[in-house]
Every structure is written in C-alpha cells, then in structure tokens.
C-alpha cells in the first residue's frame, strides 16, 4: 500500500509525464540526432566492411598490401544496396576527384571476372597505384569524424591529417548571419524601447491600441507578413509610390532583394519580441521615480539615463537576446526578400538537407548555431546574476 505522499508524487509525475514525453520526442531526440549525424560518417564503412578492417593498420607510405586490395575486391564483388553504394561513392569523390569513375570502372570489371579469380587493381586502373586514392579510403572509414564540423567553418584535413583552410563560403555566410541578426536586434531595441515606454506610460484605450499594434503581427502568418513586405517594398509598391508622389525621390529606391529589405522585414516581424519584455519590466517600475528625480534637480535625460534605463535593462537584455537568437535561424524572410548576397545560414542548412541530402553538413551547421545560442544564453544568465543587474 502506498502512503498519501507517495500517491501524491505519483499523481504529479503522471500529470507532467505527457510534457516530458513531448519534450523528449520533439525536442531532445531531434537535437541528439542532429549532433550524432554531424559527427558520424559510416557511409563508406557500411559498403566496404572488409576493406575498413584491412586498411586500418596501413601506414599510408606505400601502396597497400595485397591483403588490403583483396579485401576491397571482395567488398566490391558483394552486392550492396544501390543507394548506400551511391552515397559511399559521393563521399569518396568529395575526398579525391575522380573516385566516381574509378570505382565505377573497378566494380564493373570485378563483377564481370569469374568467381575466385584474382584481380590486379593496379593493372585494371593505374590510379590504384596512387596513394591519394587509398588515403581517401582510409580517411573515410572511421565511424566518427570531425570532417563536417571542420567544413562548416571552412577547414579540412590534408593528406597528412593536419587541419588546413578550405575554399568555401560557410564562414562568410555565418558572419553575414551574425551581422544581419545584430542589425535587426539593434534596430528592434531602438524602436522597441521608446515604444514600450510610451505604452507603459499610457492608460485606457491608448495603451490597448498600442499593444494591439504590437500583438497583431504575431497573430498573422509569417509567410503572409513577408509577402506583404514584398508588395510594400517593390519598385512599384506603396512605399516607393508615396516617396515619388510627395517628391522626396525622383525614381524608385531599391528596397527589395537586398540587405535593406531583409532588415526592414525582419525588424517588423521580430519587434514584438523586443517590446513585450521591456513593457513587462516597465509595468513594475513605480511611476513616481521620474518625477522624484526631476524634483531633485535632474534633467529628463539625466533621470532617464540614471533611473529608468538601469531599471529597464533586464527587459532590454531579455528582448535583445530573444530577437538575436530567433533572427539567427530565419529562413523565409531572407529567402523571399533578400538577394543572393543576403541569404543566411538557414538557407545553406536547407540546401544541404533537401538539395543534396548531405545531412552531415546540415547537422554540423545546425550544431554551430545551437552552440552559439547556448553560449548567448549562458552569457545572459551570467549577466543577469551580476550585482549591477540584481541591483537594477
């Protein structure tokens, strides 16, 4: 028989069990899968298991022994799933250009040879006498690798195993992602702070109207909001039409398919995430602090800088962190409004995941974004516990 306290604990656990199951299935499991895919590389090992065992002890100096070559011939003679074999060929061809034609020719010759007949790989194709192809095979055999993580930051390992620079645009796109996210965060802070102050200082229908204007975008689909900005920002759109009508500009300004359009649209979409944290903090600030500072001789700017702004800082930091982290993973808005030089890292992840089915690279780039997000959260947690923040 269970006591009352045990039954209460069991009831509480049963109540939260669906929540834990939801988090485990839709949050923890995808994250673990992404991290595992980023560092796992068993594509070639699965197709060539005997070669993986035989080539592990090869010193890489001369052409592998006949035992290693016979193991490769035996693996190529064994029928394998076409999709898995194609993935292995692509993986090897990414290491050394020409591996696709080399393996295709070798597989055809090996499978046409009578069973039990010895096959001389070097005589079949002189490229098997070159160490770089065998080194590529050996590098592709380990079950776990840092290849994708290095490639995500434009690095790779050379034939000697040293980390060297690689020709890629991942680092540039990553820097662009951080730059756009920072620009959007600063612009949201510049607009959201005074807006939240006005909303908190207002009462009645004015406050409700201001909050409705902030919350309304959250009730609209992101795709619809982005499509609306396409209409507004195009050369024949409402903004350019208004500017040319009142005579500010003589010809339409290019506001779409560039960095300007991306920043404007993302700022509009993410502004509520800045306003609401600041507004919630301002509601807890006594209204008589600013008049008290003024009565003691402080100017409005000095009272704001020394009294109101420090008290608003927790909400401002929370909103900035939230906006920056959400902006890092934005995909739809840059894809529809930005140009070729304005695509963010999410577009590259989508390309590797759906365009080339390279889940390793997609997972590695996603892991980098996850690491940056966790680091930002830890920094904010450290700052929020600092004496300055606690005192505020």
């Amino acid at each position: 028989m269970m006591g009352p306290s045990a039954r209460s604990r069991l009831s509480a656990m049963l109540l939260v069990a669906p929540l834990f199951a939801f988090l485990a299935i839709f949050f923890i499991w995808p994250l673990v899968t992404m991290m595992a895919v980023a560092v796992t590389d068993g594509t070639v090992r699965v197709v060539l298991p005997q070669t993986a065992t035989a080539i592990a002890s090869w010193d890489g100096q001369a052409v592998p022994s006949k035992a290693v070559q016979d193991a490769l011939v035996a693996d190529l003679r064994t029928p394998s799933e076409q999709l898995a074999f194609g993935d292995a060929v692509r993986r090897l061809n990414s290491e050394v250009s020409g591996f696709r034609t080399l393996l295709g020719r070798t597989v055809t010759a090996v499978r046409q040879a009578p069973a039990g007949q010895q096959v001389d790989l070097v005589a079949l194709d002189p490229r098997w006498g070159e160490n770089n192809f065998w080194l590529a095979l050996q590098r592709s055999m380990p079950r776990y690798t840092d290849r994708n993580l290095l490639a995500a930051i434009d690095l790779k390992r050379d034939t000697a195993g040293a980390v060297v620079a690689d020709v890629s645009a991942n680092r540039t796109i990553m820097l662009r992602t951080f730059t756009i996210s920072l620009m959007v965060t600063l612009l949201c802070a510049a607009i959201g702070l005074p807006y939240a102050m006005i909303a908190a200082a207002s009462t009645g229908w004015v406050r409700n109207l201001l909050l409705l204007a902030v919350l309304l975008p959250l009730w609209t689909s992101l795709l619809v909001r982005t499509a609306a900005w396409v209409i507004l920002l195009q050369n024949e759109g409402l903004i350019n039409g208004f500017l040319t009508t009142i005579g500010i500009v003589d010809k339409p300004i290019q506001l779409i398919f560039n960095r300007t359009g991306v920043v404007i649209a993302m700022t509009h979409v993410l502004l509520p995430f800045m306003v609401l944290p600041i507004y919630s903090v301002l509601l807890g600030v006594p209204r008589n602090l600013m008049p008290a500072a003024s009565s003691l001789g402080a100017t409005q700017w000095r009272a704001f800088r020394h009294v109101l702004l420090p008290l608003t800082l927790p909400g401002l930091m929370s909103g900035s962190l939230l906006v920056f982290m959400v902006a890092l993973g934005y995909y739809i808005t840059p894809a529809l409004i930005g140009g070729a030089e304005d695509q963010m890292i999410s577009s590259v992840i989508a390309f590797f995941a759906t365009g080339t089915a390279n889940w390793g690279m997609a997972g590695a780039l996603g892991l980098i974004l996850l690491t940056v997000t966790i680091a930002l959260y830890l920094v904010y947690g450290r700052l929020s516990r600092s004496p300055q923040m606690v005192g505020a």
Side-chain angles (χ1 to χ4, degrees):
M1 295 292 293
M2 290 190 300
S5 60
R7 285 196 298 268
S8 300
R9 287 195 296 269
L10 180 60
S11 300
M13 292 177 60
L14 291 177
L15 288 174
V16 299
L19 174 61
F20 285 130
F22 177 84
L23 292 176
I25 296 174
F26 295 101
F27 184 74
I28 298 176
W29 181 54
L31 287 180
V32 172
T33 302
M34 178 192 67
M35 290 186 288
V37 168
V39 298
T40 302
D41 188 18
T43 306
V44 180
R45 187 184 187 90
V46 171
V47 177
L48 307 174
Q50 299 181 56
T51 308
T53 303
I55 206 172
S57 58
W58 177 50
D59 59 4
Q61 298 301 319
V63 176
S65 64
K66 189 174 182 301
V68 177
Q69 298 186 36
D70 290 343
L72 177 60
V73 171
D75 283 330
L76 294 179
R77 273 178 173 162
T78 304
S80 58
E81 186 181 352
Q82 185 175 0
L83 182 60
F85 186 79
D87 291 339
V89 170
R90 284 192 294 271
R91 169 69 176 87
L92 292 170
N93 198 69
S94 66
E95 288 280 348
V96 177
S97 180
F99 229 125
R100 187 187 304 273
T101 57
L102 175 60
L103 272 182
R105 180 179 179 181
T106 305
V107 168
T108 302
V110 165
R111 293 182 179 177
Q112 288 179 351
Q117 178 180 336
Q118 297 292 324
V119 177
D120 188 350
L121 292 178
V122 179
L124 179 63
D125 195 308
R127 286 177 290 181
W128 285 118
E130 302 175 11
N131 271 17
N132 57 333
F133 288 96
W134 291 103
L135 287 171
L137 265 175
Q138 190 180 52
R139 289 195 302 268
S140 304
M141 291 305 179
R143 191 177 303 276
Y144 299 100
T145 178
D146 58 357
R147 174 175 177 269
N148 294 320
L149 294 175
L150 291 175
I153 53 176
D154 296 349
L155 298 174
K156 66 177 182 179
R157 292 190 180 275
D158 59 12
T159 55
V163 178
V164 296
D166 191 13
V167 179
S168 182
N170 291 332
R171 193 181 300 176
T172 301
I173 298 175
M174 192 75 71
L175 180 61
R176 180 194 306 159
T177 300
F178 294 147
T179 302
I180 294 177
S181 300
L182 182 60
M183 293 171 61
V184 172
T185 302
L186 294 176
L187 194 55
C188 284
I191 299 174
L193 180 59
Y195 190 95
M197 292 174 59
I198 295 173
S202 304
T203 57
W205 66 270
V206 177
R207 174 185 288 185
N208 294 333
L209 182 62
L210 292 173
L211 291 178
L212 180 64
V214 172
L215 294 174
L216 189 60
L218 294 178
W219 301 336
T220 309
S221 170
L222 175 61
L223 184 60
V224 173
R225 283 178 282 173
T226 304
W229 276 110
V230 173
I231 298 173
L232 291 172
L233 296 175
Q234 60 186 337
N235 291 344
E236 296 78 17
L238 295 178
I239 295 178
N240 273 312
F242 175 75
L243 294 177
T244 53
T245 299
I246 63 178
I248 295 180
V249 296
D250 297 329
K251 59 181 180 179
I253 305 174
Q254 185 66 30
L255 296 176
I256 198 171
F257 306 131
N258 55 18
R259 187 72 51 87
T260 303
V262 172
V263 172
I264 292 174
M266 289 182 61
T267 300
H268 167 255
V269 172
L270 296 175
L271 186 59
F273 298 102
M274 179 67 72
V275 172
L276 294 179
I278 300 175
Y279 173 77
S280 63
V281 171
L282 287 172
L283 287 181
V285 177
R287 291 176 173 268
N288 58 358
L289 289 182
M290 292 292 285
S294 300
S295 66
L296 294 174
T299 61
Q300 290 292 327
W301 168 247
R302 189 178 181 84
F304 167 76
R305 188 160 54 94
H306 292 282
V307 177
L308 189 59
L309 184 59
L311 295 175
T312 313
L313 195 57
L316 181 61
M317 290 192 61
S318 299
S320 300
L321 180 67
L322 185 59
V323 169
F324 188 81
M325 289 194 302
V326 175
L328 284 177
Y330 250 55
Y331 172 66
I332 294 179
T333 303
L336 294 181
I337 296 182
E341 299 298 324
D342 304 301
Q343 300 305 306
M344 301 172 68
I345 198 65
S346 53
S347 300
V348 181
I349 295 175
F351 169 75
F352 281 120
T354 61
T356 63
N358 190 343
W359 291 100
M361 276 298 300
L365 292 170
L367 184 58
I368 291 176
L369 279 184
L370 177 63
T371 304
V372 172
T373 304
I374 294 176
L376 289 173
Y377 181 80
L378 294 177
V379 169
Y380 170 73
R382 180 68 177 269
L383 292 176
S384 64
R385 292 192 298 268
S386 65
Q388 293 81 1
M389 293 289 290
V390 174

